[in-house]
Amino acid sequence: MTPTILIAGATGNTGRSLTKLLPELLKASNTLSGHRIIALTRSLTSPAAQELAKLPGVEVIEQNWVEINADWLRQHQVVRAFIASHNEPNQFAEESTFYSAALNAGVEYVVRISTTAANVRPDFKAYYPRTHWAIENLLSQPEFAALKWTSLQPNVFSSFWLAPAEFRKTGSQSALRLMAAKDAPVGIIDGAEVGVFAAHLLAQSDPTVHNKAKYVLNGPEDISGKQVVELVEQYIGTKVDEVIYQDTSMIDMMYEMKYAAQGQSKNVILSIKHAMETGWEGKCSASTTSEEVLQLAAPKRTPAEMFKELLEAE
């Protein structure tokens, strides 16, 4: 069977651009041109999955990646993989289970999506950055030496930081609620550009130089909460009457609408509110981008361009 590169979450905000670009990069490679790509999706009938299925060298499979075991990986001869995990409270159990299977199946290299670099530490107040720290620490152990890996740490995705679509749609103004702080600069990044960088890593003939690396990704320009408001005002053609900066009320709503019924710990879920603090403190600016990112596939999309795309998608 042909050696395979596995993409988990191929129809997601990072996986889609990765899946589209990777075949082109593999075709130009002297060592990987014969590899095939398996793109995983939750639904083969979704428009995104059907679009990806048209790509040469890409096989789209309906498969939940958390149920993949070592036998499945060996059967499909997976040698490299991309994982964009969920950040539910059981993330560590499910993601580490995949890496255990990958190690035992002889997978050579994994690129994974982490989270805001300044948050990935064992004492962080929000629960899921601690999970990413624990996973990176696990992969760093001698027992996992045979599995090369790179962890991507996008500071803030643009879709979370820019103005809510509901405000842009309405004719009458209510308060504009932003996660952003008024003056703190944040180098928000389009998820698609994270996928592009991941594609370049997976297409490396020898990824050894990137083994155990943790790369920080940002867009090319910073934007503050005040500048987000200015973008909104340009679009609506008038001043915004009321702005609530550093708003975390959506976390409360997320708990009530989703996690309460699941019996999840309210204390754990509401800890997510702390995830934005490093951005408010100015620790997530574009200046923190890793040099390797700039050299291999520097993100190019500005906040204004990303804002425009969000508008057009509505």
Side-chain angles (χ1 to χ4, degrees):
M1 185 178 288
T2 305
T4 300
I5 298 176
L6 177 69
I7 303 175
T11 58
N13 69 329
T14 56
R16 193 177 308 185
S17 60
L18 160 60
T19 307
K20 290 180 178 179
L21 177 59
L22 189 57
E24 300 176 21
L25 297 178
L26 296 183
K27 186 177 180 180
S29 171
N30 293 327
T31 56
L32 303 175
S33 58
H35 287 49
R36 67 170 181 159
I37 299 167
I38 288 181
L40 302 185
T41 181
R42 294 180 182 178
S43 173
L44 288 172
T45 60
S46 72
Q50 292 179 349
E51 180 185 5
L52 295 179
K54 298 175 183 178
L55 297 172
V58 175
E59 179 182 0
V60 180
I61 295 179
E62 192 171 287
Q63 169 70 49
N64 188 343
W65 70 270
V66 303
E67 301 300 336
I68 288 175
N69 57 28
D71 287 340
W72 192 99
L73 293 168
R74 280 191 289 265
Q75 177 187 346
H76 293 85
Q77 203 168 329
V78 175
V79 294
R80 298 185 181 190
F82 170 79
I83 297 293
S85 177
H86 60 77
N87 64 354
E88 305 284 323
N90 64 339
Q91 177 188 350
F92 181 84
E94 294 190 333
E95 192 173 352
S96 64
T97 295
F98 177 86
Y99 298 134
S100 176
L103 178 69
N104 285 283
V107 175
E108 300 166 2
Y109 180 49
V110 171
V111 177
R112 65 178 299 274
I113 301 293
S114 181
T115 190
T116 306
N119 297 359
V120 183
R121 59 182 209 242
D123 63 337
F124 197 73
K125 294 177 183 178
Y127 79 87
Y128 71 89
R130 297 196 303 269
T131 299
H132 284 289
W133 174 85
I135 290 171
E136 292 172 355
N137 193 43
L138 175 142
L139 292 172
S140 299
Q141 300 308 304
E143 291 85 351
F144 276 86
L147 178 62
K148 297 181 178 67
W149 59 276
T150 305
S151 202
L152 308 186
Q153 299 177 331
N155 272 337
V156 179
F157 285 115
S158 58
S159 55
F160 294 121
W161 219 243
L162 295 177
E166 291 78 7
F167 184 89
R168 299 196 299 270
K169 283 181 175 179
T170 184
S172 60
Q173 285 199 28
S174 57
L176 173 59
R177 297 177 177 272
L178 299 176
M179 289 185 181
K182 182 177 181 180
D183 297 311
V186 175
I188 61 173
I189 187 168
D190 185 344
E193 295 204 291
V194 177
V196 166
F197 181 69
H200 281 275
L201 289 175
L202 289 167
Q204 295 291 298
S205 296
D206 182 2
T208 302
V209 67
H210 303 290
N211 185 30
K212 299 182 181 180
K214 290 171 275 190
Y215 294 140
V216 181
L217 294 97
N218 298 285
E221 295 179 9
D222 291 322
I223 189 168
S224 66
K226 182 180 178 181
Q227 290 170 316
V228 173
V229 174
E230 291 172 355
L231 286 177
V232 173
E233 290 176 337
Q234 289 173 18
Y235 171 69
I236 64 176
T238 187
K239 298 290 289 184
V240 174
D241 294 332
E242 181 185 3
V243 182
I244 300 175
Y245 294 105
Q246 299 177 224
D247 179 65
T248 60
S249 60
M250 66 168 291
I251 309 301
D252 296 285
M253 290 188 291
M254 184 172 66
Y255 173 76
E256 295 299 334
M257 296 175 66
K258 178 179 179 181
Y259 292 106
Q262 297 177 0
Q264 296 285 0
S265 164
K266 185 175 183 179
N267 189 38
V268 170
I269 300 304
L270 295 191
S271 73
I272 296 173
K273 292 184 177 185
H274 296 288
M276 282 69 77
E277 291 175 358
T278 47
W280 300 340
E281 294 165 357
K283 296 178 180 178
C284 300
S285 69
S287 64
T288 63
T289 303
S290 297
E291 186 62 32
E292 292 84 353
V293 175
L294 300 176
Q295 293 174 354
L296 197 57
K300 300 175 181 178
R301 305 199 66 202
T302 66
E305 291 170 334
M306 291 182 272
F307 182 76
K308 182 181 179 182
E309 183 176 275
L310 286 174
L311 291 178
E312 293 174 346
E314 294 303 323

